[in-house]
Amino acid sequence: MTSTAYSRPSKLPGGGGNERRLPPRLMRSLTTKIEPKKLGVGLLAGCCLALLTYVSLAKLFAIYSPVFASTANMLQNSPPSSSSPAATVPETEAIPPQETGNSDNTVDPVDLPEAGTEPQEPNFPTAESEPGLPAALSKADAEKAAAAAASSEQKQSEESGAAAGEEAAKMKCDENGVDEGFPYARPSVCELYGDVRVSPKQKTMYVVNPSGAGGFDDKGEKRLRPYARKDDFLMPGVVEVTVKSVPSAAAAPKCTKQHKVPAVVFSVAGYTDNFFHDMADAMIPLFLTASHLKGEVQLLITNYKPWWVQKYTPLLRKLSNYDVINFDDDDAVHCFPQAYLGLYRDRDLIISPHPTRNPRNYTMVDYNRFLRDALELRRDRPSVLGEEPGMRPRMLIISRAGTRKLINLDEVAAAATELGFNVTVAEPGADVPAFAALVNSADVLLAVHGAGLTNQIFLPTEAVVVQIVPWGNMNWQATNFYGNPARDMKLRYVEYYVGEEETSLRHKYSRDHMVFKDPKKLHTMGWQTLAETIMKQDVEVNLTMFRPVLLQALDRLQQ
């Protein structure tokens, strides 16, 4: 049967009678040989060939495009982001080793390419495996493009880093040297921000400060002696540290140790072998300056005393998670994002609210809590009388080996025992944690005016302090050095003033001497005169007059 699907009329359309026509048999032969199935296969094969040609050419140019090559190289060689601590280091410097600071932002090494390997796009061939392209030429072009891109990026990074450093660089100083009603001048304290480089060997702290702004002199410097008591007699012995403003990182010493945490530079010169001054001139100011940093701070100490650092290691460890740096014997250049030069302080053994010195409103109660945590002192409240059958309140009497001894100490201890106290007599030593634990176990602390009364800082809150005030118009010293601090620590304070007949001075001076007739005048003649007269006495209290004071201490303990 003959198919008529592709049959055509024997006469072409529009053709005349004279047109040439194909033989009918040939026409039928051609139309019957072209079947629909074979025509579809041919079209599909043509499309596949065109698509293969397109993919090959597109793949060739995509792999070896200079843009792709430069991007791959930049991914390998790009500097750390601005959030990385190393971003503050100039591009020309190698990143120094990280000394202090947590490692939360460190990069897992398994995420980094191995040295000497090129970053590869997944499933794409390398230049050597791609046929038909000169590998050396393509690599040269790619490296040239990558170098140009990296140079441009480095230039932009340096410009933005300089701009950021200029904006961040800052020095602010608290130079409010005199506090109303308090005769001791306060030392200056400076805070530095930005790229801060500390060179102990040069006794200099460099601040990268392109603008040059700040409280610097004509030479771009600021000089401080970082001891927390501005005493003209003491200051010449305190190491002087220079803060120097430099216009660029290149003008500052190269960092050899990079720190992620702030620095605090201070001195332990002066009177710091005396427990009162250890607290008033060093530890309390250090707490006020650095406790808000929660241990993430690096301490650098000038006028370094190894025995002092060892003595107060538990407290220093509580304030800083890092080993103290000896500022007097260190050749490195330490780089910090922030630094304090000097320590903020208040009055002796007192911390009061202040907008700049104490913006977080710390109190001496906070300092007491800090001490209990650092020294693991277990009592924060005194014993409650009557809580346990047969329990007696504990009294600690601090003895003195030098001046201002309590001559009849044994009689006083016996009188206190008769009144119901469990009495212990002890003298402070070099073992601060051990003596602190002894003080913390007491409910009442009794001592003659002197550094021993400083140990009241270890007492539990609401314990009782009894101060025996020597002869010689010592009211101001007694109240300001120990009376007011005791009240600020929420302790219950009792005092006893020695009379003329209770001082050993009566054996040394006549009753017509200034010591007895006008002791107030001695206070106007300077510390040395006072130290050679009033301060060199011992006391022997009248037990008849002193017994009510012991009863008052017992009564205050029950309030």
Side-chain angles (χ1 to χ4, degrees), residues 351-405:
I351 302 177
S352 303
H354 192 276
T356 58
R357 291 192 294 268
N358 184 17
R360 295 164 188 86
N361 294 325
Y362 289 125
T363 67
M364 282 301 295
V365 174
D366 295 318
Y367 184 68
N368 298 147
R369 190 178 298 113
F370 157 77
L371 293 174
R372 286 196 287 268
D373 290 344
L375 299 174
E376 299 181 349
L377 305 178
R378 59 186 182 84
R379 299 177 77 223
D380 58 4
R381 286 292 186 276
S383 302
V384 178
L385 299 185
E387 186 176 50
E388 298 179 11
M391 186 199 71
R392 297 194 297 167
R394 286 163 286 193
M395 174 181 283
L396 173 63
I397 301 177
I398 294 182
S399 62
R400 293 176 60 92
T403 59
R404 282 165 280 141
K405 294 188 296 291

Side-chain angles (χ1 to χ4, degrees), residues 122-173:
N123 301 323
F124 283 106
T126 61
E128 290 79 358
S129 64
E130 184 67 22
L133 186 68
L137 180 61
S138 64
K139 281 189 175 180
D141 292 341
E143 291 173 359
K144 184 176 180 181
S151 176
S152 174
E153 183 173 328
Q154 179 177 349
K155 183 176 180 181
Q156 292 176 3
S157 176
E158 290 174 352
E159 290 175 353
S160 61
E166 182 174 355
E167 182 180 353
K170 182 173 62 173
M171 179 178 77
K172 64 177 184 178
C173 299

Side-chain angles (χ1 to χ4, degrees), residues 413-480:
T417 302
E418 290 177 4
L419 292 175
F421 286 103
N422 183 357
V423 179
T424 301
V425 177
E427 182 178 357
D431 191 342
V432 173
F435 198 77
L438 181 62
V439 175
N440 183 252
S441 70
D443 303 306
V444 178
L445 179 68
L446 185 152
V448 179
H449 176 87
L453 274 169
T454 308
N455 287 281
Q456 66 183 303
I457 61 179
F458 303 125
L459 284 172
T461 304
E462 298 180 355
V464 177
V465 177
V466 179
Q467 177 178 199
I468 299 175
V469 185
W471 171 262
N473 197 49
M474 295 288 291
N475 310 47
W476 189 93
Q477 288 86 346
T479 300
N480 286 279

Side-chain angles (χ1 to χ4, degrees), residues 166-482:
E166 182 174 355
E167 182 180 353
K170 182 173 62 173
M171 179 178 77
K172 64 177 184 178
C173 299
D174 183 349
E175 300 185 89
N176 181 24
V178 179
D179 180 35
E180 296 79 3
F182 197 69
Y184 299 119
R186 302 181 192 282
S188 298
V189 182
C190 291
E191 295 183 25
L192 315 175
Y193 299 88
D195 186 350
V196 182
R197 308 187 182 195
V198 180
S199 174
K201 186 175 183 179
Q202 299 177 8
K203 302 293 184 286
T204 303
M205 301 174 70
Y206 296 86
V207 182
V208 179
N209 181 20
S211 68
F216 300 97
D217 61 18
D218 295 339
K219 296 180 180 179
E221 296 179 349
K222 175 82 174 178
R223 298 175 183 270
L224 270 77
R225 298 182 187 271
Y227 179 60
R229 180 180 289 272
K230 194 173 183 180
D231 187 317
D232 293 338
F233 176 73
L234 295 174
M235 280 300 175
V238 179
V239 171
E240 185 178 67
V241 179
T242 301
V243 181
K244 189 174 182 64
S245 174
V246 294
S248 66
K254 184 178 180 179
C255 298
T256 59
K257 293 183 179 179
Q258 187 78 28
H259 304 259
K260 296 180 182 180
V261 301
V264 175
V265 180
F266 66 100
S267 171
V268 293
Y271 301 123
T272 51
D273 56 347
N274 175 286
F275 187 62
F276 172 83
H277 290 284
D278 287 343
M279 294 297 110
D281 300 348
M283 290 310 309
I284 295 176
L286 183 58
F287 170 81
L288 189 58
T289 305
S291 61
H292 69 282
L293 298 170
K294 309 299 182 185
E296 288 302 304
V297 58
Q298 175 66 64
L299 306 179
L300 299 92
I301 299 181
T302 70
N303 300 102
Y304 189 87
K305 301 173 182 177
W307 61 265
W308 191 93
V309 173
Q310 182 178 3
K311 182 177 182 179
Y312 295 107
T313 291
L315 307 187
L316 297 173
R317 277 293 186 192
K318 188 66 176 178
L319 287 170
S320 173
N321 298 328
Y322 311 101
D323 292 336
V324 171
I325 293 175
N326 181 354
F327 194 87
D328 303 327
D329 186 23
D330 190 284
D331 294 333
V333 176
H334 301 267
C335 294
F336 300 93
Q338 180 185 354
Y340 297 81
L341 178 58
L343 300 175
Y344 290 109
R345 70 162 295 153
D346 207 315
R347 303 186 182 193
D348 294 322
L349 305 186
I350 285 179
I351 302 177
S352 303
H354 192 276
T356 58
R357 291 192 294 268
N358 184 17
R360 295 164 188 86
N361 294 325
Y362 289 125
T363 67
M364 282 301 295
V365 174
D366 295 318
Y367 184 68
N368 298 147
R369 190 178 298 113
F370 157 77
L371 293 174
R372 286 196 287 268
D373 290 344
L375 299 174
E376 299 181 349
L377 305 178
R378 59 186 182 84
R379 299 177 77 223
D380 58 4
R381 286 292 186 276
S383 302
V384 178
L385 299 185
E387 186 176 50
E388 298 179 11
M391 186 199 71
R392 297 194 297 167
R394 286 163 286 193
M395 174 181 283
L396 173 63
I397 301 177
I398 294 182
S399 62
R400 293 176 60 92
T403 59
R404 282 165 280 141
K405 294 188 296 291
L406 182 57
I407 297 173
N408 59 338
L409 186 151
D410 291 340
E411 289 83 354
V412 171
T417 302
E418 290 177 4
L419 292 175
F421 286 103
N422 183 357
V423 179
T424 301
V425 177
E427 182 178 357
D431 191 342
V432 173
F435 198 77
L438 181 62
V439 175
N440 183 252
S441 70
D443 303 306
V444 178
L445 179 68
L446 185 152
V448 179
H449 176 87
L453 274 169
T454 308
N455 287 281
Q456 66 183 303
I457 61 179
F458 303 125
L459 284 172
T461 304
E462 298 180 355
V464 177
V465 177
V466 179
Q467 177 178 199
I468 299 175
V469 185
W471 171 262
N473 197 49
M474 295 288 291
N475 310 47
W476 189 93
Q477 288 86 346
T479 300
N480 286 279
F481 292 161
Y482 302 111

